[in-house]
Every structure is written in structure tokens, then in C-alpha cells.
Amino acid sequence: MECIIREATIDDCEHLMGLIQEIATYHHLENEITINAQVLKADGFGKDPFFKCLLAEQPGEKGCKPGRPIGHALYFFGYSVNHGKMLYLENLYVVSEFRGKGIGMELLRKVAENALATGCMEMKFMTMDWNRRAKAFYERLGAHDTTESEDFHCMELGRDALERLVQKGSKGQP
Ligand SMILES: CC(C)(COP(=O)(O)OP(=O)(O)OC[C@H]1O[C@@H](n2cnc3c(N)ncnc32)[C@H](O)[C@@H]1OP(=O)(O)O)[C@@H](O)C(=O)NCCC(=O)NCCS
């Protein structure tokens, strides 16, 4: 299917927030979301952007602006002590009625292009265990499951835990 892939701008943040809410709902994680469009604007389009984002949209009729984005890929850069520069893909999402038409693959292909253009050696991402279709989609591209092959577990410290950790450190200071 013909679609346009372009970099998101600050003016896309309301739509982008809608897509982020949809993918969270898809993963039954809608109650986990604490950000909003304002946060996206500040974090992605300020002086030191924390993420980059590609949007997929349908071409508009002649003379008309394209409509609401139908998919997105949100990513950021990181560093692996094993391999060097890496890209982390946080979200890949295509609106349900547009799935299976090659849009997800095209978004991912552009992300891969950006990874290579910036000298990245790998792209990392997570999928839920039950999301077999997404897992199969990535595996067909050559992805391997590091939880299975290397027993990696994905862990995180939330804001409260981070604050407790900082407090703990300061108690030991003279
Ligand atoms: C995964 C996803 C981004 C792929 O985008 P897409 O535009 O449907 O993908 P393409 O048309 O380029 O390729 C289709 C492939 O996607 C895979 N796929 C994964 N999840 C799918 C879903 N929920 N519906 C349809 N296809 C899906 C299929 O295996 C399909 O391959 P097939 O045609 O050989 O069966 C999209 O289906 C989606 O947004 N799914 C829901 C959210 C999700 O699972 N995101 C990834 C989480 S890490």
C-alpha cells in the first residue's frame, strides 16, 4: 500500500500520543501511561531530544493534507559495551485496519536505514511473550530472542526506587 513515511514534528505530538495510547491498549498497558502530548513535545523536540519518531501516513487527495498518521516507529540511540552504537526501538505500531499492508515493514526499514546511517551495530527492542505475531515478524527479519538465548531479563527501577537509591547514597556521605 502506498504510504508516506516522514519524521514526526512537534505539531504531531497530539496524534502521536493517540497512537502511543493505542499501542499501550493493545498490550493491556493503558494504565501505565503517565506522559501526555506536552511531555512528548518537551522530550522529543527540545534542545536535546530524547527520542526520534517516524510517522506513516496515507497520501492526501490532490491538494489535501494527509490525514491522521496510521503508524509510527519511536526510537532512540544508546551504547552497547559489546558492540558500540545501538538503536533502541521503543514502539512500532500500525493502526489495526492498515495492518498486513507492508507499512510496519516500511517503518522498520527506515529505522534500519537511520541505524546504519548513524553507525549503529545493532537494534534492540522488546516484545511481549504472548505477541507471537510480532515475534514471528521480527524473527523473519533475523532477530533473535536474547531472553531465550542468553537468559537476559529486562529490569527497571521506577522513579520512587531511583529517589530511594539517591537518598540512600547521600546518607553515607559525610
Ligand atoms: C507488528 C506491526 C507493527 C506490523 O505492521 P504491519 O503493517 O501489520 O506489518 P506488515 O504488513 O509490514 O507485515 C505483516 C506482518 O506483520 C505481522 N504481524 C504482527 N502482528 C500483527 C497483527 N496484530 N496484525 C497483523 N499482522 C501482524 C504478521 O506476521 C504479518 O506477516 P504475514 O503477512 O507474513 O502474516 C503491526 O501489525 C502492529 O502494529 N501490531 C500491533 C502492535 C505490535 O504488536 N507492535 C509490535 C510490538 S513490539
Side-chain angles (χ1 to χ4, degrees):
M1 186 198 141
E2 205 194 332
C3 80
I4 295 165
I5 309 280
R6 65 167 175 87
E7 295 255 358
T9 70
I10 195 164
D11 297 328
D12 293 309
C13 286
E14 318 286 337
H15 283 317
L16 179 57
M17 196 59 225
L19 292 171
I20 289 172
Q21 261 147 357
E22 280 184 39
I23 191 171
T25 303
Y26 180 87
H27 287 120
H28 314 295
L29 294 171
E30 59 273 32
N31 296 328
E32 297 289 318
I33 293 193
T34 58
I35 61 162
N36 56 39
Q38 281 310 113
V39 175
L40 283 177
K41 285 180 187 179
D43 293 349
F45 303 92
K47 197 163 135 279
D48 294 310
F50 259 64
F51 67 84
K52 292 180 83 64
C53 184
L54 293 173
L55 291 178
E57 58 192 10
Q58 283 183 293
E61 293 291 308
K62 272 205 175 82
C64 297
K65 277 170 78 176
R68 167 181 117 87
I70 52 177
H72 76 288
L74 192 148
Y75 63 94
F76 45 86
F77 294 102
Y79 200 76
S80 152
V81 290
N82 295 330
H83 306 295
K85 291 180 186 174
M86 66 121 164
L87 184 150
Y88 188 86
L89 178 68
E90 170 72 1
N91 260 8
L92 178 68
Y93 182 72
V94 173
V95 171
S96 59
E97 59 267 40
F98 293 97
R99 285 181 202 151
K101 299 174 192 293
I103 298 168
M105 187 63 79
E106 192 49 24
L107 278 165
L108 205 51
R109 207 185 61 73
K110 293 271 185 197
V111 174
E113 248 176 40
N114 292 352
L116 294 179
T118 44
C120 289
M121 301 305 290
E122 61 192 16
M123 174 166 96
K124 288 186 191 267
F125 47 92
M126 279 190 273
T127 60
M128 307 278 275
D129 193 46
W130 56 261
N131 199 351
R132 298 298 154 118
R133 293 192 73 172
K135 209 169 163 221
F137 172 82
Y138 294 127
E139 280 170 350
R140 280 199 298 276
L141 297 172
H144 67 281
D145 181 341
T146 53
T147 304
E148 273 170 14
S149 64
E150 291 155 43
D151 206 18
F152 265 109
H153 287 266
C154 175
M155 301 186 67
E156 65 181 36
L157 285 177
R159 176 90 191 188
D160 290 350
L162 287 174
E163 281 171 2
R164 281 197 302 277
L165 178 60
V166 169
Q167 291 304 320
K168 207 180 180 136
S170 63
K171 276 186 201 143
Q173 299 300 312

